[in-house]
């Protein structure tokens, strides 16, 4: 149906709100039986890629040119890496180190969030290891003591890893306690519920299915609205000196 040119999506220099009505599916070279929506990429100004991969039965992804994080949104994915085989169900996740040969295949229809980032080594940091997990099994921690806003860290907070992926769950009415302005950039996929997101000088209604990119230093705030919790999956670059990687 025509929306007569209207959408909640918005693309500004310091943020992108991409709502499902504006998603364009594209083939990914080497992928078979998978279409992707590329939400964040260097073309946008991001230093990582985030996509939603939509698999038909038997669909598979090609190897990544970087380290890769996969979070299953629907269905199941079979991952083989270094002699290990794991089948991830909805809310299951995997971290696959850069250069580690692996295969990702869907036995049936499936959807997944896929985040890829060139690895930035750090002096003295051990090499990152393959990880598998299920979001349900990760302990949740109240954000700054607020039990109505709970964070689950899916990647260990240790210098082997140069990015974080967390889920954040807000009870209805819960909100970030401050407007954040920080050096990290974010990729964010709304998983459940909704609310109001402040990005820069704009306030947006958002809900499950929406994607947001925030450039470093983009002012950001979220408050959850509605009768059920709001939950999102959020990426940030993490645990590296800001001058690393820019040849300073
Ligand atoms: O981890 C974070 O920076 C997180 N609190 N940001 C956000 O939810 N927009
Ligand atoms: Mn933040």
């Amino acid at each position: 149906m025509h929306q007569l040119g209207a959408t909640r999506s918005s693309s500004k220099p310091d943020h992108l709100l991409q709502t499902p009505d504006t998603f364009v599916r594209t083939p990914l070279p080497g992928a078979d039986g998978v279409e992707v929506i590329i939400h964040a990429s260097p073309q946008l100004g991001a230093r990582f890629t985030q996509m939603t991969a939509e698999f038909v039965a038997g669909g598979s992804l090609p190897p990544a040119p970087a380290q890769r994080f996969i979070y299953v949104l629907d269905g199941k994915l079979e991952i083989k890496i270094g002699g290990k085989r794991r089948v991830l169900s909805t809310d299951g996740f995997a971290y696959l180190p850069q250069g580690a040969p692996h295969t990702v295949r869907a036995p049936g229809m499936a959807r997944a969030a896929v985040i890829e980032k060139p690895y930035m080594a750090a002096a003295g940091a051990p090499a990152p290891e393959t990880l598998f997990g299920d979001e349900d099994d990760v302990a949740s921690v109240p954000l700054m003591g607020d039990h109505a806003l709970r964070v689950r860290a899916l990647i260990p907070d240790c210098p082997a890893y140069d990015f974080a992926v967390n889920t954040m769950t807000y009870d209805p009415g819960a909100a970030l306690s401050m407007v954040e302005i920080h050096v990290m950039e974010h990729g964010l996929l709304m998983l459940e519920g909704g609310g109001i997101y402040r990005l820069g000088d704009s306030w947006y209604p958002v809900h499950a299915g929406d994607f947001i990119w925030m450039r470093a230093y983009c002012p950001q705030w979220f408050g959850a609205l509605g009768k059920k919790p709001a939950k999102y999956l959020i990426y940030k670059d993490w645990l590296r000196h800001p001058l690393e990687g820019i040849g300073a």
Side-chain angles (χ1 to χ4, degrees), residues 4-59:
L4 298 173
T7 179
R8 287 182 298 112
S9 284
S10 175
S11 180
K12 303 234 170 126
D14 67 349
H15 66 268
L16 169 73
L17 168 63
Q18 197 183 28
T19 60
D21 55 303
T22 58
F23 290 175
V24 173
R25 284 148 180 92
T26 52
L28 189 69
D32 187 23
V34 187
E35 285 192 323
V36 294
I37 303 140
I38 302 181
H39 302 294
S41 65
Q43 286 76 1
L44 176 67
R47 288 165 294 153
F48 66 103
T49 58
Q50 181 161 349
M51 43 190 126
T52 298
E54 299 175 333
F55 298 77
V56 296

Side-chain angles (χ1 to χ4, degrees), residues 102-187:
H102 64 265
T103 60
V104 180
R105 191 182 158 278
M109 281 178 70
R111 283 190 326 122
V114 180
I115 296 169
E116 295 168 349
K117 175 186 185 297
Y119 184 65
M120 197 180 279
E129 289 176 9
T130 300
L131 301 168
F132 293 108
D134 194 299
E135 199 253 349
D136 291 341
D137 299 334
V138 178
S140 71
V141 176
L143 186 69
M144 297 164 96
D146 182 355
H147 290 266
L149 202 182
R150 298 168 296 280
V151 181
R152 287 178 158 135
L154 308 186
I155 292 183
D157 193 1
C158 103
Y161 301 91
D162 67 352
F163 69 93
V165 181
N166 301 334
T167 59
M168 295 181 61
T169 305
Y170 296 70
D171 288 342
L176 286 176
S177 64
M178 56 186 280
V179 177
E180 296 179 6
I181 302 180
H182 53 57
V183 67
M184 303 86 75
E185 65 177 330
H186 283 310

